Amino acid sequence: QWYQRRVREAVVSTQSTRVVSSDAQLVFMTTNHKQMLDPALIRPGRVDVQEYFGNACSEQVDAMLRHFYPDVPDEKAAEFSALIPSNTISMAELQGHFLLNKDNLEGLIESVRSLYLPRSGEKQRLES
């Protein structure tokens, strides 16, 4: 387990050094566990900008809804936004629901509603 992590870090470190040496290139690195990265991998000069993308806020949820459904009535938009408490779902997960229901607003609402309904024997999503 630990040796696989070290090998991956060595490969990424070597590859990022090669990429950084070229001019006019952007490299995006992502992780869900920044604290587990070797500090040498993300040191200044190798990584110049670090951005945190958290979960979707209410405004982002509403903006995505209106992007996928430009003619959505305000009351439907309010109903949808009320289903998702702020900062409880990632933009990627939310986008997945939109893509699966891109022509079906009611299906989207039901899909998202099911995320926040307790299932037998499970805790609600909000408690996790």
Side-chain angles (χ1 to χ4, degrees):
Q1 187 65 271
W2 64 269
Y3 58 88
Q4 290 174 333
R5 182 171 168 246
R6 289 290 178 203
V7 169
R8 281 193 307 267
E9 287 176 359
V11 169
V12 170
S13 180
T14 302
Q15 294 301 319
S16 66
T17 301
R18 286 186 198 157
V19 170
V20 172
S21 65
S22 299
D23 290 337
Q25 289 189 1
L26 295 175
V27 176
F28 292 88
M29 299 186 301
T30 63
T31 182
N32 289 333
H33 304 285
K34 181 181 167 191
Q35 71 281 2
M36 295 178 70
L37 295 176
D38 186 318
L41 183 63
I42 56 174
R43 67 175 167 73
R46 182 167 284 167
V47 174
D48 297 319
V49 177
Q50 296 181 26
E51 291 290 332
Y52 171 75
F53 294 96
N55 288 334
C57 67
S58 324
E59 293 81 15
Q60 290 172 309
V61 170
D62 187 65
M64 189 176 283
L65 177 68
R66 293 182 187 282
H67 174 77
F68 276 85
Y69 298 95
D71 300 326
V72 67
D74 288 341
E75 56 276 356
K76 273 291 183 197
E79 175 188 350
F80 181 76
S81 294
L83 291 174
I84 305 173
S86 193
N87 299 310
T88 61
I89 188 170
S90 73
M91 289 294 287
E93 185 177 3
L94 185 59
Q95 182 181 25
H97 287 278
F98 277 99
L99 292 173
L100 290 173
N101 297 282
K102 58 185 167 189
D103 297 321
N104 182 2
L105 179 58
E106 291 303 321
L108 172 67
I109 290 171
E110 286 308 310
S111 175
V112 170
R113 181 177 282 134
S114 71
L115 289 174
Y116 295 96
L117 292 177
R119 297 178 203 142
S120 64
E122 293 183 10
K123 292 183 178 183
Q124 269 187 287
R125 178 186 177 100
L126 297 177
E127 297 173 351
S128 56

